[in-house]
Amino acid sequence: MFRNQYDNDISTWSPQGRLHQIEYALEAVKQGSASVGLRSNTHVVLLGLKRSSGELASHQQKLFRIDNHMGIAIAGLVSDARVLSNFMRTECMKSKMMYDRPMPGSRLTSLIGDKAQANTQNYGRRPYGVGLLVGSYDEDTGPHLYECLPNANCLEYFAISIGAKSQSAKTYLEKFAKDFGDIDVDALIIHGLHALRETLQQDKELNLKNCSIGVVGRDHDWEVIEGDRLKAYLDQLESGSSTGAAAEELPQGEAMDTE
């Protein structure tokens, strides 16, 4: 990936006006396994496709709890994601201690953008090689979905996908985006699974080991859906039956957290 002498550090511009290390960091996000986020008027759903380095290895973590009202999905370097998630948790704790209120999602993504930007203009540093999808629910403004990239761009979306083959998922999301606003959380999850399945290789299928689902919304603290509840959604995805019928069959109960 070596280009020329202009990619030795982050503070050197090429004659074409490019910062190559930022492009390398964005490429790391594109090479990571896919993550999908979508929101309705009441909930945000984040989904991640987990990779394993081998048959004997566990799958990487794709979803991180930040606070009761917030969680993230990642694509890229997991080590950088842990650093940023710890920073986000610290800021949420500061907000509760100083202002006695949860940290607004827009404020926290702005802080992440500032932190990422600092690494693009100081010699001796490198950009974070990870992209984040931040799902949050604010009591005043409702559900929000943000994308944060290594180039410090932080944008809000109704639905978005990042990582390998994310364009296939984006095509599906764009096709059905007009339906997301008024549907319930179970239908939203099924749409997310359809989009995530578009990023798979042809010989792969979603299963309990390589799929993660996180949900946060109105009267619904952040949780990661696993086990029997996840299996029910995957069975619904395979059967292709109506979402409303599947919602009646889904088992109830608390999901295990990833932390």
Side-chain angles (χ1 to χ4, degrees):
M1 293 185 65
F2 181 79
R3 296 193 185 191
N4 48 47
Q5 68 269 30
Y6 299 107
D7 63 358
N8 292 331
D9 64 80
I10 188 61
S11 59
T12 301
W13 293 85
S14 73
Q16 292 78 30
R18 300 161 66 181
L19 292 172
H20 292 307
Q21 286 203 8
I22 292 180
E23 296 180 13
Y24 297 162
L26 292 172
E27 187 64 26
V29 176
K30 293 180 182 178
Q31 296 295 328
S33 58
S35 291
V36 174
L38 59 167
R39 72 174 177 88
S40 66
N41 294 333
T42 58
H43 289 81
V44 179
V45 173
L46 300 178
L47 305 97
L49 184 64
K50 298 188 290 186
R51 283 179 179 170
S52 174
S53 60
E55 293 294 332
L56 301 179
S58 62
H59 288 73
Q60 68 177 125
Q61 184 178 351
K62 292 288 289 184
L63 304 180
F64 293 80
R65 177 186 177 275
I66 303 302
D67 203 347
N68 290 336
H69 70 295
M70 187 181 304
I72 62 172
I74 69 166
L77 300 180
V78 181
S79 55
D80 284 359
R82 287 197 295 266
V83 171
L84 291 176
S85 64
N86 287 335
F87 169 78
M88 296 171 75
R89 293 188 188 108
T90 301
E91 293 301 318
C92 286
M93 287 190 292
K94 287 180 181 179
S95 178
K96 286 185 178 180
M97 294 179 64
M98 296 178 63
Y99 306 111
D100 193 26
R101 60 164 296 179
M103 170 70 79
S106 58
R107 174 60 180 160
L108 188 55
T109 53
S110 177
L111 292 176
I112 289 293
D114 293 343
K115 189 175 180 66
Q117 172 63 18
N119 280 12
T120 68
Q121 60 186 18
N122 291 318
Y123 179 83
R125 296 189 181 185
R126 66 164 177 83
Y128 292 108
V130 64
L132 307 180
L133 297 183
V134 183
S136 69
Y137 184 84
D138 299 335
E139 292 295 334
D140 297 332
T141 58
H144 296 278
L145 174 64
Y146 302 94
E147 176 195 42
C148 300
L149 294 177
N151 57 7
N153 281 348
C154 298
L155 302 173
E156 185 172 3
Y157 289 87
F158 290 102
I160 186 62
S161 174
I162 58 176
K165 299 185 68 175
S166 60
Q167 187 57 49
S168 299
K170 289 179 183 177
T171 301
Y172 176 90
L173 295 172
E174 290 169 356
K175 182 178 179 180
F176 294 97
K178 63 181 183 297
D179 301 329
F180 295 160
D182 298 324
I183 61 178
D184 60 21
V185 64
D186 295 317
L188 199 64
I189 290 173
I190 296 299
H191 276 297
L193 288 173
H194 275 289
L196 190 64
R197 187 168 63 176
E198 295 294 322
T199 68
L200 289 171
Q201 299 178 2
Q202 292 183 353
D203 59 336
K204 301 293 184 180
E205 291 292 339
L206 293 177
N207 55 54
L208 294 177
K209 293 183 178 180
N210 67 5
C211 179
S212 292
I213 303 175
V215 181
V216 66
R218 182 186 300 167
D219 301 323
H220 192 153
D221 288 347
W222 169 262
E223 68 170 347
V224 175
I225 298 176
E226 296 178 334
D228 292 339
R229 296 182 66 196
L230 176 56
K231 185 176 186 301
Y233 285 115
L234 294 176
D235 291 343
Q236 162 64 10
L237 179 68
E238 292 300 323
S239 66
S241 59
S242 65
T243 307
E248 299 177 358
E249 301 175 0
L250 292 174
Q252 300 299 317
E254 295 185 357
M256 295 176 61
D257 199 350
T258 56
E259 291 295 296

